[in-house]
Amino acid sequence: MIELRDVVKRYGASTAIDGVSLVVGRGELAVLLGPSGCGKTTTLRAINRMIEIDAGEILVDGRPVSASPPDELRRHIGYAIQSVGLFPHMTVERNIATVPRLLGWERSLVEARVRELLQLVGLAPSYAAKRPGELSGGEAQRVGVARALAADPPVLLMDEPFGALDPINRENLQREFAQLHRRLGKTVLFVTHDVEEAVLLGDRIVLMCEGRVVQDGTPEELWRAPAAPFVKEFFGPEFGLHVLSRHRVTDLPLREAPDGRAPRIESGTTLRDALALMVTEGAECVAVIGDDGAVAGGLTIEDVVTGVRRTR
Ligand code: ADP
Ligand code: MG
């Protein structure tokens, strides 16, 4: 668990973060979102003491971070950043193994862990021997994530880790990371300025502006009940569509099966894709196909629009 209480960081006369409080529960993926310069990186770096704060308190798993030497703290908190920061003269294997080696893991254990992590982030074992210069941006980013996970830290800090990627690689990594998170159950604080990324990944979104938290809640809560005009403004006109992407047709109660002419969709389809299909096909209603291959029921445009208002 990560907890910040009234954290303040000043640079000379300017205040980078001004009384930030937030909690990331165990196993939760919280997104710290906001425009450039609002204090996201400062907040993140205060947690692993890459910067020292001027006021307030930060606890990780119940312990004040001020009580641990920064080096030791960083060995137990994974950290991944946009620029990746791989050591260019070292192989991928050595890069991933940085923290396990610092922790004095046995060689065979380190090698097994590197193989396991490469597989986890979707890279072939042959990548272990490559150098960062031989990797594409997306591959380097995967290695960066593998390195952050290397010592199996319970807490992971990620600062715009997919920011430098082209849209396709970015979307792939986002989806894979969301799955990985569900599987590994780490406590993650993920920084981004990208609204779509935040809504896709976040169990919770902490929205910041000018060094302060404006609203903290599930994407659905921020969408349904924005705490300030800034919230709506920042998320933009597609906020509702992004929220639709978070839910699947089977999350809604289905109505009676429509007639045979209705377009069919799989039960795993997102509400956004279902809506897009209805609009494209000019269909009032779609038939949802269950896992057994039979029609499980129907869904209309109105069901989608009113249903998503009730999701949590
Ligand atoms: P974000 O990550 O949200 O883009 P940052 O946390 O990097 O924002 O920065 C927040 C504010 O603090 C900005 O106004 C930035 O200019 C300022 N700032 C960050 N680091 C320093 C520093 N080392 N010295 C002076 N000002 C800084
Ligand atoms: Mg930043």
Side-chain angles (χ1 to χ4, degrees):
M1 195 179 89
I2 305 170
E3 185 168 2
L4 276 72
R5 294 179 188 155
D6 281 321
V7 174
V8 175
K9 172 66 185 177
R10 294 186 198 95
Y11 289 108
S14 71
T15 306
I17 53 174
D18 190 11
V20 168
S21 298
L22 62 89
V23 176
V24 188
R26 193 179 291 273
E28 188 176 45
L29 196 168
V31 172
L32 199 55
L33 175 71
S36 179
C38 72
K40 305 181 296 295
T41 295
T42 305
T43 304
L44 205 67
R45 288 164 70 95
I47 297 167
N48 64 2
R49 290 187 64 190
M50 293 174 82
I51 60 163
E52 296 297 338
I53 59 177
D54 294 305
E57 198 177 16
I58 302 179
L59 302 127
V60 170
D61 288 332
R63 272 172 55 115
V65 295
S66 56
S68 304
D71 283 352
E72 167 157 352
L73 198 65
R74 277 170 229 154
R75 282 176 208 162
H76 297 96
I77 300 179
Y79 184 54
I81 53 176
Q82 176 175 333
S83 56
V84 191
L86 299 179
F87 302 116
H89 55 286
M90 287 188 195
T91 61
V92 164
E93 164 150 30
R94 285 291 291 268
N95 266 287
I96 294 176
T98 308
V99 173
R101 287 165 61 107
L102 278 171
L103 292 171
W105 289 22
E106 267 187 48
R107 204 188 154 122
S108 58
L109 202 62
V110 172
E111 282 171 8
R113 182 68 180 150
V114 169
R115 277 196 302 275
E116 184 189 4
L117 283 162
L118 284 173
Q119 194 190 10
L120 202 66
V121 297
L123 292 174
S126 59
Y127 276 79
K130 290 188 193 264
R131 288 182 199 268
E134 301 170 74
L135 306 175
S136 72
E139 289 164 352
Q141 213 68 72
R142 287 169 193 269
V143 174
V145 172
R147 185 177 56 178
L149 291 169
D152 203 16
V155 172
L156 210 54
L157 306 176
M158 306 183 86
D159 195 351
E160 314 231 11
F162 310 140
L165 301 180
D166 60 85
I168 295 188
N169 261 309
R170 186 182 173 116
E171 214 183 302
N172 284 339
L173 261 180
Q174 285 167 349
R175 287 188 193 288
E176 285 172 35
F177 183 70
Q179 277 171 14
L180 198 65
H181 175 254
R182 280 194 285 275
R183 206 143 36 100
L184 301 179
K186 305 268 179 213
T187 303
V188 185
L189 188 56
F190 187 108
V191 162
T192 185
H193 65 271
D194 181 305
V195 165
E196 192 167 3
E197 179 166 84
V199 177
L200 178 78
L201 292 179
D203 299 322
R204 252 192 39 240
I205 295 178
V206 180
L207 179 64
M208 287 182 70
C209 182
E210 294 179 354
R212 292 168 187 262
V213 174
V214 180
Q215 194 170 4
D216 177 344
T218 64
E220 288 75 11
E221 283 165 355
L222 270 66
W223 173 57
R224 272 195 292 259
F230 171 76
V231 179
K232 224 172 153 173
E233 224 167 86
F234 187 73
F235 280 95
E238 293 191 19
F239 194 4
L241 290 176
H242 300 323
V243 172
L244 285 175
S245 299
R246 291 172 52 80
H247 301 278
R248 304 191 180 276
V249 288
T250 40
D251 293 345
L252 299 185
L254 300 179
R255 62 172 65 227
E256 210 175 297
D259 68 39
R261 286 167 301 170
R264 301 175 148 228
I265 56 173
E266 305 286 329
S267 58
T269 308
T270 66
L271 291 181
R272 183 179 184 155
D273 288 346
L275 192 63
L277 181 80
M278 290 187 236
V279 171
T280 308
E281 300 277 320
E284 293 274 311
C285 188
V286 289
V288 178
I289 309 302
D291 292 336
D292 56 0
V295 176
L299 209 56
T300 64
I301 293 181
E302 204 190 324
D303 293 339
V304 172
V305 173
T306 54
V308 74
R309 293 231 147 241
R310 290 194 206 105
T311 54
R312 289 198 299 149

